Amino acid sequence: MASVKVGYLDMFSGVSGDMLLGACLDAGVALEELRAGLAPLGLEGVRLDAEPVERHGIAATRCLVEVPDSTRARRLPEIVDRIEGAGLAGRVASRAVAVFRRLAAAEAAVHGIEPEEVHFHEVGALDAIVDVVGGVWCLDRLGVIERLHASTFTLGRGWVDAAHGRLPVPPPAVLELVRGWEAVEGDDGFELTTPTGAALVTTLATDRGMPPSWIPETIGYGAGTRELASRPNLLRLVLGEIDEGAAEGLAVVETDLDDLSPQLFEPLAEGLYAAGAREVHWSAVQMKKGRPGTTVRVLAPVERVPEVGRVLFRETSTLGYRWWPVQREVLARESGTARTRWGDVEVKRIRRPDGTVEVRPEYEACRRIASETGLPVRDVMATIAADLAAPAP
């Protein structure tokens, strides 16, 4: 059985974007690393800082995001273009975009408009870009972007002032985002879970509840702004290892399609990954009466099968899907960076059964370098592999 790294978000006092950033910094991400990770976005005037704080006797990190004052609004397509054009690692960009699409879809459902019409106020938009891209980047840096568990949401109660006036807590967008997730109110008369925090967790979390049979190793606490009387206003991020073969129940979900436009497979895959899919594949098949078709196959945790099914029903014309439980064995692996002739690049470290460690460059990093240098991607991959295999001077 192989051990893999896993993260657990304990939302006993809710969750927000800045609380997630603080928890990641407290768990080991260096502030300068995070600033460098966000630099490609070109967010002029945005300042990112952190400070140690204490909440009910627990030491924590509070992340401070300062944005320039402006009244201009941004819509979803502009934010997506900025993220996709920044040259971020492929999975960071794609998952950050998925978070924003989910957030816009929730706001659109509340206001009765299309997601592309949702306006993000300039200050809120810049703040959300930092929170979303920074949160995704940090979880990827910590090696848990593909294995993230989340506890029950704590939403809060009372009233909150918003652009449209006073709203009940939880705000309508938050309630829309946590639809289908376990949630409790909490004792405090404040908003504890923000829309950005809810969008991050419901998009990125692949499993619900504390990981079974795991070994916690690193704990980080991210502090919220408000002091609460009844509990520490903190988000707890726990990093550990889990025996995947013993702990993870996976399922294969399949459906056959013969009328889906090729253009629609990309949003289908995005929706499936947002629903918790580990892998998404499709292959050509022959269907009834000799018609050509496509089988869509999804690998996902058993508990996410209903949500995967909802995406299939929403994004395709299928009348049903089939699924069955499976088990898999994987090698222990974690994400990180390694020094090459082109600087630090994203890599995956894989531990073989004999204890040796193999380091592979991430494809998106190689593609980015190829674009910058004009070299073929295969040459970049071979050169980086040689750099990684060479003994340290």
Side-chain angles (χ1 to χ4, degrees):
M1 297 296 182
S3 294
V4 296
K5 202 168 184 180
V6 63
Y8 174 57
L9 287 173
D10 189 1
M11 301 180 287
F12 55 81
S13 285
V15 59
S16 64
D18 60 321
M19 290 172 74
L20 177 59
L21 288 178
C24 291
L25 292 170
D26 206 55
V29 175
L31 179 60
E32 288 304 319
E33 280 188 294
L34 176 56
R35 287 171 174 162
L38 294 175
L41 292 168
L43 301 177
E44 295 184 7
V46 175
R47 181 180 176 185
L48 181 66
D49 213 334
E51 63 179 9
V53 297
E54 184 180 290
R55 297 286 188 267
H56 287 228
I58 300 175
T61 297
R62 181 185 172 199
C63 188
L64 306 170
V65 181
E66 297 180 10
V67 298
D69 189 18
S70 173
T71 58
R72 190 173 76 84
R74 294 174 184 261
R75 291 185 177 180
L76 176 64
E78 184 179 353
I79 293 175
V80 170
D81 287 346
R82 178 181 283 268
I83 295 173
E84 292 183 337
L88 301 165
R91 60 186 171 194
V92 172
S94 63
R95 291 181 183 179
V97 166
V99 174
F100 267 108
R101 290 194 189 281
R102 185 172 179 85
L103 180 58
E107 295 283 359
V110 170
H111 300 300
I113 59 177
E114 294 298 318
E116 289 73 18
E117 299 175 16
V118 171
H119 285 81
F120 295 88
H121 184 269
E122 174 73 2
V123 174
L126 291 176
D127 187 273
I129 290 173
V130 173
D131 288 346
V132 170
V133 179
V136 174
W137 188 92
C138 284
L139 293 172
D140 187 50
R141 173 68 180 82
L142 292 169
V144 297
I145 192 67
E146 296 179 352
R147 297 290 187 278
L148 185 65
H149 289 239
S151 72
T152 297
F153 279 95
T154 305
L155 303 178
R157 57 186 175 85
W159 298 86
V160 62
D161 292 323
H164 298 280
R166 285 176 65 78
L167 296 175
V169 174
V174 170
L175 205 56
E176 190 72 29
L177 285 161
V178 302
R179 186 199 298 258
W181 292 69
E182 290 186 3
V184 296
E185 183 180 53
D187 302 326
D188 302 276
F190 302 105
E191 178 187 20
L192 299 179
T193 293
T194 67
T196 302
L200 278 160
V201 175
T202 56
T203 304
L204 301 177
T206 54
D207 298 273
R208 306 182 190 189
M210 182 176 288
S213 304
W214 72 317
I215 303 174
E217 295 176 340
T218 304
I219 304 170
Y221 289 94
T225 303
R226 184 178 285 112
E227 289 272 10
L228 303 179
S230 64
R231 69 183 79 196
N233 189 18
L234 300 171
L235 173 67
R236 178 160 53 191
L237 172 62
V238 187
L239 308 177
E241 288 195 348
I242 191 170
D243 186 334
E244 177 153 290
E248 188 174 41
L250 296 175
V252 171
V253 184
E254 282 189 355
T255 191
D256 298 323
L257 307 170
D258 63 2
D259 60 354
L260 189 67
S261 168
Q263 296 172 317
L264 299 180
F265 278 95
E266 182 179 3
L268 171 61
E270 288 180 356
L272 291 170
Y273 280 120
R278 296 276 198 264
E279 300 173 8
V280 178
H281 306 285
W282 42 77
S283 56
V285 294
Q286 180 176 308
M287 299 179 64
K288 294 178 181 178
K289 300 180 181 180
R291 292 194 300 264
T294 303
T295 293
V296 176
R297 175 174 292 179
V298 182
L299 183 68
V302 171
E303 63 269 22
R304 303 306 291 270
V305 169
E307 192 163 348
V308 166
R310 283 193 287 271
V311 173
L312 291 173
F313 287 137
R314 185 185 72 228
E315 300 290 343
T316 77
S317 61
T318 187
L319 300 179
Y321 60 88
R322 54 193 174 270
W323 73 273
W324 58 94
V326 297
Q327 290 187 335
R328 69 171 179 175
E329 297 261 351
V330 299
L331 296 174
R333 62 202 184 277
E334 63 179 14
S335 299
T337 60
R339 174 68 62 179
T340 74
R341 67 190 65 192
W342 290 295
D344 290 340
V345 299
E346 297 85 2
V347 299
K348 190 184 301 297
R349 292 182 173 85
I350 304 163
R351 185 172 297 279
R352 293 288 177 183
D354 61 2
T356 59
V357 176
E358 177 185 351
V359 184
R360 296 181 187 173
E362 294 284 5
Y363 169 74
E364 291 295 339
C366 295
R367 189 174 72 167
R368 184 178 68 251
I369 293 171
S371 176
E372 295 170 351
T373 62
L375 295 171
V377 176
R378 66 170 181 239
D379 290 353
V380 172
M381 296 179 72
T383 301
I384 291 178
D387 286 351
L388 297 177

